[in-house]
Amino acid sequence: MAMYSGFSEDYLEKVLHEENESDGWALANRSQHAEVWKKKYPNESLQVIKAFLHLPGVPPNDAVKLVQDVEVRKRWDTQFSAIDVLEEHPTHRMVYWSAPLPLGMQTRDIVQYIAEKRDEVTDTTYILYSQVPEYVVAAKPGIVRAVTIQSAVIVRPDLQDPRSTRMTLLFQTDFGGRLPKFMVNFFSAFAPPKWRRDMYNFYVKFYSKEKNCNEMTVAAAVRDMTGTEHSTLTPCVEDTQPLCMSTHNFQSFDFSVTSPLNLLNLLEARVSPGAAVHASEIRKHNSNDGKCGDLDPKCSVLSTPLAVETYGCWGAEARERLSRLATRLAIPMRCTKSQDTAAIYGRLNLTLVRSCARALLSRAGPSFVVTG
């Protein structure tokens, strides 16, 4: 990984050395899924904290996202009142954190360079932190600037269960001000278990379920189209917030392809662009609304036709639904809404072409292979 201002060439090597080193480390705190160790360097009053955390049932990729995705982090890491990305670069980013302290003490903030390195061989992610000098980002009036002496998060799959995560935290932070160092050392040893518990509870209660619902939505959106007006009802969870946690309102997506050159559509299509796809939406509602209402008396199932013309014009309901899908996918996929919208339509258009090709081949008789 190319290093830059804020990281020395051997930064990662030092982190790995401390992770595996046992000399000088003393056990500070232990729970079922967290083990915390402390170490004090000669002539230094602040301890270094090393924590080994276990996240059963949390895949490593999700664990990295919980730590690295700012919008996700804001939802579970309540110790910070503000988390803002100040700069984004190909190899690193600059992030501002602000944390109010109890008992009338002044708020602390910290500005860090954050870099991420992947080891594909071991499926390990290294997240490295270093201090941004105050002359780069000045401290705000009335807020004490904390200093990152060293900090890293290491995320690996559990060797016994690759769908679970083993995480190592290593940090040494000077909170500055008049806060006694012995208080910093005492509370630092109890911070990792709480940090892990907040993250894990958020994942189990919200993130994992929202992720499953998003996957259902994407699966419905990219389902192969039949190329005809006769398609299969696809039940899909309505994208409420938080997704499918507190509602019994479901969506049933019905893909439909129609042609403006059809004799039934030709006259209106000449006068009003998109008339064919609008007529298809009406037909689908007339055909499916009653069926959806009878599916389950305990929940509301809404029929949503995703209709498209053979020339590529999508119906209003499809455009609105796909736009909402792109909005929901933009943050977790770290893309802009326009990028996600283009990807969704591109995939659906490709599926349409393939379905039309299958329909033509099915009417052409026995298949054949042409070789050159």
Side-chain angles (χ1 to χ4, degrees):
M1 178 177 67
M3 291 299 177
Y4 48 87
S5 176
F7 292 100
S8 62
E9 292 294 333
D10 58 351
Y11 193 97
L12 180 56
E13 285 71 17
K14 289 181 179 179
V15 168
L16 294 175
H17 173 76
E18 289 293 1
E19 182 191 26
N20 298 308
E21 181 62 58
S22 58
D23 291 344
W25 289 94
L27 184 64
N29 187 12
R30 175 182 285 166
S31 61
Q32 182 179 2
H33 297 291
E35 189 174 284
V36 183
W37 295 76
K38 60 183 180 180
K39 179 179 181 179
K40 186 177 290 186
Y41 294 128
N43 303 319
E44 290 190 12
S45 56
L46 285 172
Q47 295 176 157
V48 185
I49 298 297
K50 177 170 62 175
F52 300 104
L53 310 178
H54 184 216
L55 301 171
V58 181
N61 288 343
D62 287 352
V64 172
K65 196 171 187 66
L66 291 169
V67 175
Q68 282 283 73
D69 191 306
V70 169
E71 297 304 318
V72 174
R73 184 76 176 261
K74 288 177 181 179
R75 297 178 61 189
W76 67 265
D77 200 343
T78 56
Q79 64 178 319
F80 295 105
S81 58
I83 309 175
D84 298 307
V85 178
L86 303 182
E87 294 181 6
E88 194 86 51
H89 302 279
T91 58
H92 68 283
R93 56 182 173 165
M94 183 191 297
V95 179
Y96 173 86
W97 313 75
S98 177
L101 296 186
L103 303 176
M105 292 182 286
Q106 285 181 288
T107 296
R108 264 57 174 179
D109 70 1
I110 194 166
V111 187
Q112 297 173 319
Y113 292 117
I114 305 177
E116 183 177 317
K117 176 180 173 60
R118 279 282 301 163
D119 185 340
E120 300 295 343
V121 176
T122 60
D123 194 19
T124 301
T125 300
Y126 305 96
I127 306 170
L128 308 177
Y129 304 80
S130 70
Q131 183 71 20
V132 174
E134 195 165 327
Y135 65 80
V136 177
V137 179
K140 297 181 180 180
I143 297 180
V144 177
R145 175 61 52 84
V147 176
T148 299
I149 301 172
Q150 58 178 314
S151 183
V153 177
I154 303 173
V155 180
R156 299 184 178 92
D158 188 339
L159 295 179
Q160 305 300 321
D161 177 14
R163 296 292 296 170
S164 298
T165 295
R166 293 285 179 178
M167 183 180 293
T168 301
L169 306 185
L170 184 73
F171 63 92
Q172 186 183 25
T173 304
D174 186 352
F175 282 85
R178 299 180 180 180
L179 196 62
K181 298 296 189 288
F182 76 89
M183 288 185 61
V184 175
N185 290 335
F186 177 80
F187 287 109
S188 294
F190 290 90
K194 180 183 183 304
W195 187 82
R196 178 227 169 255
R197 184 170 60 251
D198 291 346
M199 175 170 54
Y200 186 75
N201 287 343
F202 169 78
Y203 182 85
V204 172
K205 293 179 181 179
F206 300 105
Y207 188 85
S208 62
K209 297 176 182 178
E210 294 173 12
K211 177 186 172 186
N212 290 337
C213 290
N214 279 332
E215 289 175 349
M216 290 172 61
T217 305
V218 173
V222 300
R223 176 182 294 272
D224 284 350
M225 299 180 190
T226 63
T228 68
E229 287 282 5
H230 305 286
S231 51
T232 304
L233 289 174
T234 305
C236 180
V237 181
E238 168 72 353
D239 54 334
T240 55
Q241 176 68 29
L243 205 59
C244 68
M245 292 298 98
S246 59
T247 180
H248 293 287
N249 188 25
F250 290 81
Q251 290 283 322
S252 176
F253 289 168
D254 190 356
F255 287 95
S256 174
V257 182
T258 187
S259 172
L261 300 182
N262 185 295
L263 292 178
L264 297 176
N265 301 324
L266 188 58
L267 182 60
E268 290 187 15
R270 290 178 58 189
V271 178
S272 176
V277 76
H278 178 63
S280 178
E281 289 179 332
I282 294 176
R283 285 195 297 271
K284 285 298 180 183
H285 275 300
N286 292 337
S287 173
N288 295 330
D289 286 356
K291 298 176 185 177
C292 288
D294 296 333
L295 286 177
D296 192 339
K298 297 181 181 179
C299 65
S300 174
V301 182
L302 305 178
S303 170
T304 302
L306 299 185
V308 60
E309 291 182 357
T310 51
Y311 285 91
C313 176
W314 287 84
E317 292 189 53
R319 294 196 303 271
E320 188 272 341
R321 182 57 54 182
L322 295 178
S323 175
R324 293 177 65 180
L325 171 61
T327 300
R328 294 302 301 270
L329 291 177
I331 292 176
M333 296 185 70
R334 299 183 183 179
C335 298
T336 64
K337 179 182 177 181
S338 60
Q339 289 173 322
D340 276 330
T341 301
I344 292 171
Y345 279 104
R347 179 65 180 270
L348 288 174
N349 289 335
L350 178 60
T351 303
L352 171 60
V353 171
R354 288 174 175 171
S355 298
C356 290
R358 293 193 193 103
L360 291 173
L361 289 174
S362 66
R363 299 171 185 174
S367 60
F368 56 87
V369 177
V370 176
T371 60

